């Protein structure tokens, strides 16, 4: 029974994300890049499309995909970080401040 419940929850999540991607113009819809050059630091990747943002949320097991609309409007900038073998997703505000940093499944990691 637990597997059935988990499957249905995951199916609902997939459907919700597909609707969100469609509402935002598709997975190739570009996010607004920061007004300064992107970092050229190894392990820091700008999430530049709706698809990349949604994939990050699925891969990392957290809700970064809910920030996709803000990223499309330039209200935040979203990044994937790899540091010392650990991972994190980072939200930088339009003012250039770190607004949120979470590892997989919202755990605190060295990368966060």
């Amino acid at each position: 029974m637990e597997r059935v419940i988990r499957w249905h929850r995951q199916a609902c999540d997939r459907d919700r994300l597909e609707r969100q991607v469609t509402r935002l113009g598709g997975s190739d819809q570009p996010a607004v890049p920061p007004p300064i050059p992107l970092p050229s630091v190894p392990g820091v990747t700008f999430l530049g499309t709706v698809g990349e943002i949604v994939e990050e949320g699925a891969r990392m097991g957290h809700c970064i995909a809910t920030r996709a609309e803000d990223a499309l409007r330039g209200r935040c900038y979203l990044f994937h970080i790899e540091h010392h073998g650990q991972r994190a997703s980072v939200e930088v505000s339009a003012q250039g401040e770190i607004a949120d940093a979470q590892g997989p499944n919202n755990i605190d990691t060295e990368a966060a």
Side-chain angles (χ1 to χ4, degrees), residues 20-22 24-31 48-55:
Q20 179 184 13
V21 167
T22 300
L24 294 175
S27 61
D28 293 332
Q29 189 69 25
T49 66
V50 169
E52 290 173 351
I53 295 166
V54 169
E55 286 176 25

Side-chain angles (χ1 to χ4, degrees), residues 75-91:
R75 294 189 292 248
C76 71
Y77 310 101
L78 304 173
F79 295 86
H80 176 80
I81 308 294
E82 301 263 344
H83 181 69
H84 291 264
Q86 296 188 12
R87 304 173 297 151
S89 302
V90 174
E91 175 188 350

Side-chain angles (χ1 to χ4, degrees), residues 4 10 15 22 27-28 31-32 40 48 52 57-59 62 65 69 82 92 95-96 98 100 106 108 110:
V4 170
Q10 289 172 345
D15 289 345
T22 300
S27 61
D28 293 332
V32 173
S40 59
E52 290 173 351
R59 183 176 51 249
H62 56 53
E69 185 169 0
E82 301 263 344
V92 176
Q95 293 74 35
I98 294 176
D100 198 7
N106 292 322
D108 193 23
E110 188 175 333

Side-chain angles (χ1 to χ4, degrees), residues 56-66 88-89 102-107:
E56 177 79 355
R59 183 176 51 249
M60 296 289 284
H62 56 53
C63 65
I64 194 169
T66 64
S89 302
Q102 298 293 326
N105 301 308
N106 292 322
I107 61 170

